[in-house]
Amino acid sequence: MTTRSPDTVETSSTIEFLRETERARLRALVVADLDRARKLHAPDFQLITPIGVALSKDEYLGSIALGKIR
């Protein structure tokens, strides 16, 4: 039997928390739940598109709301 150190357990739970947070963020975007999405994006969030255009959090979520980004 392998024993885990407290650091391993903490790291494991932190990793799972981050994974679940990212899943929740993606689910909010897919269903256009903008209230939830706003809470899961930092105030200074920026999306850089594949062609190099920077979108602020408001521009990004606004585009999701209008169906411009899916």
Side-chain angles (χ1 to χ4, degrees):
M1 180 175 188
T2 305
T3 58
R4 290 182 167 183
S5 73
D7 289 341
T8 303
V9 173
E10 170 107 9
T11 300
S12 221
S13 63
T14 300
I15 290 169
E16 191 51 40
F17 172 77
L18 291 172
R19 283 182 180 146
E20 194 50 44
T21 301
E22 179 61 3
R23 286 183 197 116
R25 184 186 78 84
L26 293 173
R27 278 192 301 269
L29 293 172
V30 167
V31 299
D33 181 349
L34 299 178
D35 290 333
R36 180 97 170 121
R38 274 190 188 82
K39 293 174 186 172
L40 293 168
H41 287 80
D44 60 349
F45 173 87
Q46 275 195 321
L47 173 76
I48 308 300
T49 69
I51 62 170
V53 175
L55 298 176
S56 69
K57 175 182 173 177
D58 289 337
E59 291 168 328
Y60 175 57
L61 295 178
S63 291
I64 298 271
L66 293 172
K68 291 181 178 180
I69 296 177
R70 305 176 116 233

